Amino acid sequence: MTHERACLRVASEADHSAPSSRPTTVPAVVLLAAIAAVALNLRPFITGIGPLARDIGAQTGLNLIGLSLLTLVPMLLMGVCAFGGPWLQARIGARRAILGALGLLVLGSALRLFTATGWQLVGTAALLGLGVAVLQAVLPGIIKRQFPQQVGVVMGLYSAMLMVGGALGAQLAPLAANAGGDWHSGLAWMALPAVLALALAGVSLPRDTAPPPGQLALMDYLRQPRVWLLMTSFGLMNSGFSTVVAWLAPFYREHGWSAAASGGLFAAMSACQACCALLLPVLARQHPDRRPWLWLTLAFQAAGYAALALIPDVAPLAWVLLLGAGLGGCFSLSLIVALDHLPDPAQAGALSALMQGGGFLMASLPPLIVAALRDATGGFAIGWQLHLVCVAMVAVLYGRLHPAGYAKAMAGKV
């Protein structure tokens, strides 16, 4: 089968699964609010764990390896299940897929109020990871379809709100735990913004039409080397984020910081992530070649990891802000680069889903690896150094992403 026939099949199925334009009765600003609200819910359930890790471990008996599962399990599911996002969209439609996934976020967060054991908590993490996987796989394609002339800016908004959600999770989890009496309340409050996102999505997303038989030709995409390059670079970059989410707050708690202070440090980093996730796509929008901006974000990351490994107690706020700038800008620009490769929203959305799926599978393991290295060496320094190596590898891979080669890279036999 040629690439053109595969693309026609993808586009035909996607056109049946979602209307080509927004309902005239719903202003674009409402849909933007829904996109922002959905993105806000994609990280708090993960970032809220770090500041409460010591209390969770004390009450549930989870050790460092067990606590790392609260990040590893949802990241694994965010990877595996992202591959099924386009398929699910073709079967039930984008609107139903998103509403169902938001329902899982509400349920998973609410159940954390009643979890009594560590394994029950890991189960809720799996439920939440499943919901986020669907949302991350389906939403970029909707953005490209509904805002074709503002993809970079809207993807920047999406990425920025995702980072804001991470900051809120880290900052509010210990506060909610103190107000509610224990860590259960510190995690269960996250059901409330999920309910808000569900309501906004319900009134703003386009209605689905009946999906046709057949499925998206995702395996055809997996035969292309460019897809694997995008997955690898996205995974190596996000492996640093998953490690920071899991271990930045516990790292500084080992240095004598309180739960609230360590959570506040992570929140500051996430706020910087959000600013750069929004700002860099705007600055880069007139430059089809995103590589100089991507390399700049990698330089920020390298400086941050090096400081955490060598001088963590010297100006820690400055280092985590630098690291946040690199991670946030790189995340949003990576999503835009994937969407840049193909003009059709359905095809670009499928490519983005595959990049995220493979990437998050890779990114799920480093928190576990860093925990094992911490137990073996007595510190986190070797883990931060490991991510310096990852940054160098991604810098080499990004050298292949010249926009003049996008069409050729995606036009081979599939």
Side-chain angles (χ1 to χ4, degrees):
M1 177 182 292
T2 66
H3 171 75
E4 290 79 7
R5 288 174 59 194
C7 290
L8 285 173
R9 189 164 82 219
V10 172
S12 173
E13 293 175 0
D15 287 344
H16 283 83
S17 67
S20 60
S21 61
R22 289 184 298 272
T24 57
T25 56
V26 178
V29 67
V30 180
L31 181 56
L32 284 172
I35 290 170
V38 171
L40 194 70
N41 284 275
L42 300 183
R43 292 295 181 270
F45 74 97
I46 294 178
T47 60
I49 295 293
L52 302 177
R54 182 176 296 180
D55 297 331
I56 293 172
Q59 291 190 23
T60 64
L62 290 176
N63 58 16
L64 280 179
I65 300 298
L67 288 169
S68 71
L69 293 177
L70 298 177
T71 299
L72 184 148
V73 169
M75 293 288 282
L76 276 175
L77 287 173
M78 286 158 62
V80 173
C81 298
F83 289 91
W87 176 87
L88 183 65
Q89 178 179 343
R91 285 292 178 273
I92 68 173
R95 174 187 170 85
R96 294 187 184 93
I98 288 177
L99 295 181
L102 287 170
L104 289 180
L105 296 191
V106 174
L107 178 62
S109 294
L111 286 176
R112 287 185 155 183
L113 191 62
F114 308 103
T115 52
T117 68
W119 291 111
Q120 289 175 350
L121 189 59
V122 172
T124 62
L127 197 63
L128 292 161
L130 177 61
V132 170
V134 174
L135 293 169
Q136 291 183 155
V138 175
L139 204 55
I142 289 179
I143 290 172
K144 180 148 186 168
R145 181 181 301 114
Q146 301 300 113
F147 300 95
Q149 304 304 317
Q150 301 88 25
V151 170
V153 175
V154 179
M155 285 303 298
L157 172 67
Y158 164 80
S159 300
M161 293 306 296
L162 186 149
M163 309 301 174
V164 169
L168 289 176
Q171 188 68 56
L172 296 183
L175 298 179
N178 290 335
D182 65 8
W183 60 266
H184 293 85
S185 302
L187 300 179
W189 70 269
M190 299 170 195
L192 299 178
V195 170
L196 175 61
L198 182 60
L200 282 172
V203 301
S204 65
L205 290 177
R207 296 286 178 180
D208 296 316
T209 59
Q215 66 183 53
L216 297 176
L218 294 183
M219 291 306 299
D220 294 336
Y221 287 81
L222 288 175
R223 296 188 182 99
Q224 300 193 61
R226 176 52 56 91
V227 176
W228 290 95
L229 186 151
L230 291 171
M231 285 194 297
T232 301
S233 57
F234 190 78
L236 289 173
M237 183 272 294
N238 275 285
S239 69
F241 175 74
S242 62
T243 295
V244 168
V245 166
W247 301 124
L248 181 66
F251 173 61
Y252 274 101
R253 290 205 73 177
E254 288 188 353
H255 284 249
W257 292 49
S258 67
S262 62
L265 189 66
F266 182 87
M269 189 202 76
S270 296
C272 191
Q273 278 184 287
C275 291
C276 289
L278 182 60
L279 179 62
L280 287 184
V282 173
L283 294 176
R285 70 186 185 280
Q286 301 299 328
H287 305 276
D289 190 351
R290 322 283 187 182
R291 291 178 299 171
W293 299 95
L294 287 166
W295 282 324
L296 176 64
T297 65
L298 292 177
F300 290 162
Q301 291 178 50
Y305 291 130
L308 289 177
L310 300 174
I311 48 173
D313 295 315
V314 178
L317 180 61
W319 305 133
V320 299
L321 290 178
L322 197 61
L323 184 57
L327 289 170
C330 198
F331 181 88
S332 60
L333 289 171
S334 296
L335 292 177
I336 293 168
V337 165
L339 295 177
D340 284 346
H341 270 73
L342 292 164
D344 180 79
Q347 298 167 28
L351 178 60
S352 174
L354 284 172
M355 181 187 76
Q356 293 182 77
F360 282 120
L361 279 176
M362 292 181 61
S364 65
L365 296 177
L368 185 63
I369 295 173
V370 171
L373 291 172
R374 158 66 179 76
D375 286 343
T377 65
F380 284 99
I382 189 66
W384 304 128
Q385 293 169 22
L386 174 65
H387 288 298
L388 277 173
V389 177
C390 293
V391 167
M393 294 172 65
V394 175
V396 174
L397 293 175
Y398 279 161
R400 302 286 302 277
L401 298 181
H402 194 291
Y406 289 170
K408 181 179 180 181
M410 300 304 297
K413 298 289 183 179
V414 295

